[in-house]
Structure formats: C-alpha cells, structure tokens
C-alpha cells in the first residue's frame, strides 16, 4: 500500500543497498543509487512502489547475472535458466537479457565460438560432440552451424588421438592401440570413418618412429 516514507536506512550487510520504511514499517530494499532520489516525508503511491520494486528486481538480477558471467561466457539460455531458478519473473528475465545483450556481454555467436575454441585447445572433440554440448547450453542450431563452419575436425581428431596414443604406447604394442584409440575418438564425438582414418595415420607414424 502507498504511504509516506518515514526512514531510509543503509543495510548493515550491504552498504550499497537501502531499506525503505513506509509509515514506520519496512517496505522494500533498494539500490543506494536509486534511493538517493527518495527522501523522508515523501509520499509514494501504490504504483510508484510497484515500479521501484520492479526496477530493483531488475538491478538485483542484473548484478547476479554479471557475477554468473564472471566465471566464463554464457549462452542466452543459460542466463535465462539461471534467473528463473533464482526466482526472478519473466519480465525481469527479459529485461536483464536485453541489457546484457545490448552491452555486448551476452551473445550466442561469441559464446559458441568461445566454447569450441576452448574445447579445441584443451580437449579436442568431434563436431557431433560439440553440437550436442552447445545444444545442451541452449544455443540455436543456426548459431552452432556458423560457429562450426571453419572447424578443422580432422586436425582435432589427430591431436586428440596422438596425445592419447603416446600415453598408451608406453604399456601397449602398436596393434593393441587400434581398438583403444578408436573407442577413445568415438567417445569424443568423431565419426567412425574419421576415427578409423586418423588412427591408421597415427599408427603408421608410431611404427615409423619405432
């Protein structure tokens, strides 16, 4: 209900937020930067209170999203799921996503390229596996297609299998490596034909080295 502001108190646990009291009762919290526009004795209508609360929800959701993004880039769908799980309503969710997108902090194309480059550097995978992972993150199919356009799957397969072969070769003879490497590449999402050709190429290399 509307009423008169009787107190504006900085929160003890978060000095960047202010508790707003209306008619001597706590009404809602508000970011300090927004609270500076209020003053004790000011009358607020129901509509004004609702507007301030909604605006604050957006700011809180936005700040939480920034923290969530600080660990690694995210897909749009990841942010949407995160905010929904935290209990924010759909209008808040949409406004936060729009703000993040407009500021360049949220972009599915950028995220998809990041994900593929990261995998390629630390754990090379086949297109099938990458496509599945990105779909699980909620990235649209057309975005995935664009991100995979220049992906060198053959090179990724060779690097992944060669590193694995070097480890296995210490305890296995060349012939015993074949099924192990084929299974390894299959788990990484490479097609049978690519896995077979890659493994044969690597076994030839190892044989020549020996």
């Amino acid at each position: 209900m509307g009423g008169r502001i009787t107190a504006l108190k900085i929160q003890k646990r978060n000095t960047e937020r202010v508790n707003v009291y209306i008619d001597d009762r706590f009404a809602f919290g508000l970011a300090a930067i927004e609270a500076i526009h209020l003053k004790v004795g000011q009358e607020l209508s129901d509509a004004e209170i609702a507007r301030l609360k909604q605006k604050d929800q957006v700011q809180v959701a936005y700040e939480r999203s920034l923290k969530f993004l600080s660990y690694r880039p995210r897909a749009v769908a990841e942010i949407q799921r995160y905010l929904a799980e935290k209990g924010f309503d759909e209008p808040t969710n949409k406004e936060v996503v729009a703000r993040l997108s407009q500021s360049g902090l949220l972009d599915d194309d950028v995220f998809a390229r990041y994900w593929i480059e990261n995998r390629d550097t630390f754990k090379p995978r086949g297109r099938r596996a990458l496509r599945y992972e990105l779909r699980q993150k909620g990235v649209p199919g057309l975005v995935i297609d664009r991100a995979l356009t220049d992906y060198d799957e053959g090179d990724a397969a060779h690097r992944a299998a060669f590193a694995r072969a070097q480890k296995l070769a210490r305890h296995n003879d060349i012939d015993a490596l074949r099924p192990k490497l084929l299974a390894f590449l299959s788990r990484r999402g490479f097609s049978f034909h690519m896995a077979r050709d890659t493994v044969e190429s690597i076994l030839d290399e190892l044989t020549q080295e020996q």
Side-chain angles (χ1 to χ4, degrees):
M1 296 179 62
R4 183 173 60 86
I5 298 176
T6 52
L8 296 168
K9 299 180 180 180
I10 296 176
Q11 294 182 2
K12 293 181 179 180
R13 293 185 178 182
N14 186 349
T15 57
E16 294 183 358
R17 290 185 61 76
V18 171
N19 288 334
V20 180
Y21 291 79
I22 294 179
D23 296 331
D24 297 320
R25 300 177 66 177
F26 171 76
F28 54 90
L30 196 62
I33 194 170
E34 294 295 334
I36 61 174
H37 301 296
L38 303 178
K39 60 182 179 180
V40 173
Q42 180 179 348
E43 293 286 340
L44 293 177
S45 66
D46 290 346
E48 288 173 323
I49 291 174
R51 179 182 61 79
L52 287 170
K53 286 183 176 180
Q54 177 58 25
K55 193 171 184 179
D56 187 58
Q57 278 295 290
V58 171
Q59 184 60 32
V60 171
Y62 183 74
E63 291 174 359
R64 287 196 180 185
S65 296
L66 288 178
K67 185 175 181 180
F68 189 53
L69 281 164
S70 69
Y71 302 111
R72 66 164 173 79
R74 305 283 177 176
V76 171
E78 285 186 282
I79 292 292
Q80 292 173 328
R81 285 196 294 264
Y82 171 76
L83 291 176
E85 289 170 359
K86 293 300 180 182
F88 294 103
D89 59 28
E90 188 63 22
T92 297
N93 193 322
K94 287 183 177 180
E95 188 167 344
V96 170
V97 167
R99 284 179 61 181
L100 291 170
S101 299
Q102 290 169 3
S103 62
L105 295 173
L106 197 59
D107 186 314
D108 276 344
D109 282 285
V110 172
F111 171 75
R113 289 195 298 271
Y114 156 81
W115 188 267
I116 292 170
E117 290 171 2
N118 184 271
R119 282 300 201 205
D120 190 48
T121 299
F122 300 104
K123 203 171 185 179
R125 292 176 178 268
R127 286 173 177 266
R128 183 178 61 197
L130 291 170
R131 188 176 296 279
Y132 174 79
E133 290 178 344
L134 288 170
R135 281 178 175 169
Q136 290 296 103
K137 298 295 182 184
V139 180
L142 290 177
V143 174
I144 298 174
D145 290 340
R146 286 196 296 269
L148 287 171
T149 298
D150 299 320
Y151 186 64
D152 191 338
E153 190 176 29
D155 177 66
H158 189 277
R159 285 185 288 108
F162 191 77
R164 185 70 172 174
Q166 287 182 312
K167 293 180 180 180
L168 293 175
R170 301 169 187 170
H171 308 289
N172 298 270
D173 57 40
I174 296 297
D175 289 335
L177 293 180
R178 183 175 285 102
K180 296 179 183 293
L181 292 177
L182 286 172
F184 171 74
L185 288 178
S186 177
R187 290 194 299 271
R188 286 289 185 90
F190 294 98
S191 69
F192 171 75
H193 294 295
M194 177 163 287
R196 180 193 59 192
D197 293 345
T198 300
V199 169
E200 292 306 320
S201 175
I202 289 175
L203 293 182
D204 286 342
E205 291 179 46
L206 293 176
T207 300
Q208 292 175 13
E209 289 180 4
Q210 291 183 354

